[in-house]
Amino acid sequence: MRVNVFQWESRQARRGMPPTAAGAFRHQYGVRVRTTARGWTAVWLVVLGLAQVAAFLVVWRLALHTRTGQWLDTVALTGNRIGQDRIDGPVDRLLNAMSLFSLLVATGVLGFIALARGRKALAVAATLLIAGANATVQLLKHFLTRPDFGIDPERAAAGNSLPSGHSAVAASVALALILVLPRKVRVLGAFVGAAYAAAAGVATLSAGWHRPSDAVAAYLVTGAWAAAAGFFLLVFQRERAQVDSGDAHRVSATVLGLGGLIAMVASGLALSWLMDLPQVPVDELSRRELFAGYAGSAAGIAGVMAVVAALVLVTVHRLVPRIKG
């Protein structure tokens, strides 16, 4: 029979026995904590993971296997020429800083942070997230095919580029950072990480390395792996782990998520306007139309990353409780 932790601590006190770690924490700091509702958290993680897998399938289907999707991607990729000379330097530095070595270093640093907090399972989960997301992206890129509809003959020989490996590297490190950071700096890490990953995705578009759907697909794959890593943490969570509802960062997560949704709406409006135009060859489009495709796609990239990061931020307090139990 499961005993309520508050009742159990009261009995301990009446018997003159030492309180639990949770009781001592509440006594010292006056913080109300409660046992984790692991069942509902597990359901939420499954729904979150499946939703992102479903969203990935939609992006894959529309971007690769429809003429409209390929045309919109090509418009955005062609529109990156506008003002490209001004951002070439920062874009190249950002993308060239990403390598297998830098990814290994980042993974090691994140694992060290988790171990320094006494969270072995968290170190494993962060590594699982990064390794799983990046391996999955590379496998998908290898096995997925991009039919040639004659829309982008300049890049037809290159074949499929979905999902983006660079975007996956940045996103996986950003989401793992949210998991491993202590609660006091978690919000800062979430905003910085989301901004970094979004900038990396937009940079791949600006450099002409990837289509916008490639970055969006990478974020969704990484988000699904974040849900899987969260489920791993939940499985190994101690029975008497305690969470503080104040650690949910609901306001910050709402701001981040709402900002992402606004960016996605702006992206949708820009792309909808383009879809109302005749799907002529992209070299016949005006500068205004090309810029709408590029800017709208960039907003969509940033918006999706912000929403994915917000979902992790609002959930992490249940996966990495303040009191391990």
Side-chain angles (χ1 to χ4, degrees):
M1 180 179 67
R2 181 176 295 180
V3 179
N4 183 285
V5 69
F6 297 103
Q7 295 175 349
W8 189 83
E9 287 168 359
S10 298
R11 294 174 190 171
Q12 292 284 83
R14 287 196 298 270
R15 295 171 183 170
M17 299 176 69
T20 63
F25 185 88
R26 283 196 299 274
H27 177 74
Q28 182 176 356
Y29 297 103
V31 176
R32 179 174 176 79
V33 294
R34 54 191 173 84
T35 53
T36 55
R38 291 199 293 177
W40 286 111
T41 304
V43 171
W44 165 247
L45 290 172
V46 170
V47 170
L48 195 59
L50 291 177
Q52 291 180 97
V53 170
F56 169 83
L57 293 175
V58 171
V59 171
W60 161 73
R61 178 64 183 174
L62 293 178
L64 266 61
H65 295 278
T66 67
R67 295 184 62 87
T68 299
Q70 287 199 12
W71 184 77
L72 288 173
D73 263 351
T74 305
V75 171
L77 198 53
T78 305
N80 71 352
R81 301 169 185 170
I82 301 173
Q84 191 175 43
D85 293 342
R86 301 178 182 178
I87 60 174
D88 265 348
V91 164
D92 288 343
R93 285 192 293 271
L94 176 61
L95 295 178
N96 290 331
M98 297 182 193
S99 63
L100 178 59
F101 176 74
S102 64
L103 180 62
L104 292 175
V105 170
T107 305
V109 170
L110 293 171
F112 176 79
I113 293 173
L115 292 175
R117 298 181 60 197
R119 312 267 183 160
K120 296 180 182 178
L122 182 57
V124 175
T127 304
L128 175 69
L129 192 169
I130 294 173
N134 286 281
T136 301
V137 161
Q138 295 304 321
L139 287 173
L140 288 171
K141 188 186 299 186
H142 178 74
F143 287 106
L144 295 180
T145 58
R146 181 183 181 86
D148 183 10
F149 294 144
I151 294 173
D152 190 11
E154 182 181 342
R155 304 176 185 87
N160 174 58
S161 57
L162 182 148
S164 164
H166 282 77
S167 300
V169 167
S172 61
V173 170
L175 298 186
L177 183 68
I178 298 174
L179 288 180
V180 305
L181 283 179
R183 61 184 181 84
K184 291 184 178 180
V185 292
R186 187 177 292 151
V187 170
L188 176 62
F191 277 86
V192 171
Y196 165 70
V202 174
T204 63
L205 173 62
S206 300
W209 291 11
H210 279 284
R211 303 170 178 91
S213 60
D214 300 350
V216 170
Y219 296 154
L220 294 172
V221 169
T222 307
W225 270 101
F231 201 89
F232 171 85
L233 287 170
L234 204 62
V235 168
F236 287 93
Q237 193 176 92
R238 295 177 183 176
E239 187 67 24
R240 285 167 49 204
Q242 305 282 315
V243 299
D244 176 13
S245 58
D247 292 344
H249 306 297
R250 292 189 181 92
V251 174
S252 299
T254 300
V255 171
L256 183 58
L258 188 59
L261 288 174
I262 292 173
M264 290 171 65
V265 169
S267 174
L269 292 174
L271 298 182
S272 296
W273 177 72
L274 280 175
M275 289 172 63
D276 289 337
L277 301 175
Q279 292 185 15
V280 298
V282 293
D283 55 4
E284 297 180 14
L285 294 174
S286 67
R287 182 183 178 91
R288 177 190 178 194
E289 292 160 349
L290 291 174
F291 180 76
Y294 170 71
S297 296
I301 290 172
V304 171
M305 185 61 225
V307 170
V308 170
L311 291 171
V312 175
L313 179 60
V314 80
T315 309
V316 65
H317 73 293
R318 289 192 169 277
L319 309 175
V320 190
R322 186 185 296 199
I323 299 174
K324 295 186 292 184

